[in-house]
Amino acid sequence: EEYDELLAQQFSITTPENSCKWKYLHPSMDEFNFTNCDLIVDRAEKNKQATRGHNLCWGNGNPDWLLNLTGNATALKAALAKHISTVAGRYAGRLYAWDVVNEAVSDDPK
C-alpha cells in the first residue's frame, strides 16, 4: 500500500512472477492458493495496468507433490491439465497474455 501511487504512476504492466509458480499457487495436489496472485492482479486492475501471467509450466518452482509424479505420464498430464484449466480459467479476461511454457529447451549442453 505504501508504494501504490508510485507503482500506478511509473508502471503500465505487472507480472506476478513468483506468485504464479506452482510451488506457491498449487502447493498440494488438491489445493490452490490464489491469495498473492489475486492481490497483484487486483492491484493492477485498480491501477489500470496490464498483467502478464508467468507461468503455467516450468521445470523450476514446483512443489514436491508434482515432482513425485515423475515417471507417471498419465498423472503428470492430468495434473498439468487441471493446473492450466484452473489457473487460466480463474484469470480469463483479466490477463493480457501468459508465458505458458517457460524455458522449454534446456540450456545444459549435455
Side-chain angles (χ1 to χ4, degrees):
E1 292 180 27
E2 180 180 351
Y3 298 103
D4 275 354
E5 187 176 333
L6 179 66
L7 291 170
Q9 291 172 350
Q10 298 294 319
F11 296 92
S12 61
I13 186 171
T14 185
T15 303
E17 184 176 355
N18 285 320
S19 297
C20 278
K21 289 190 171 75
W22 282 58
K23 183 177 185 177
Y24 305 106
L25 198 60
H26 197 169
S28 66
M29 189 179 293
D30 297 316
E31 175 192 5
F32 285 87
N33 182 351
F34 294 104
T35 304
N36 290 330
C37 197
D38 282 352
L39 179 69
I40 294 168
V41 173
D42 291 347
R43 182 173 286 142
E45 288 177 335
K46 183 183 93 175
N47 292 334
K48 306 214 182 323
Q49 298 165 315
T51 301
R52 178 183 192 95
H54 179 80
N55 55 46
L56 292 171
C57 181
W58 188 33
N60 293 315
N62 294 310
D64 289 339
W65 72 266
L66 182 65
L67 300 176
N68 291 333
L69 295 178
T70 300
N72 185 338
T74 302
L76 280 168
K77 184 177 178 180
L80 183 61
K82 177 182 178 179
H83 180 81
I84 290 173
S85 65
T86 300
V87 176
R90 183 179 186 88
Y91 297 109
R94 298 179 70 193
L95 279 60
Y96 83 94
W98 276 99
D99 297 327
V100 177
V101 177
N102 188 41
E103 299 175 7
V105 178
S106 175
D107 58 359
D108 185 353
K110 296 178 182 176

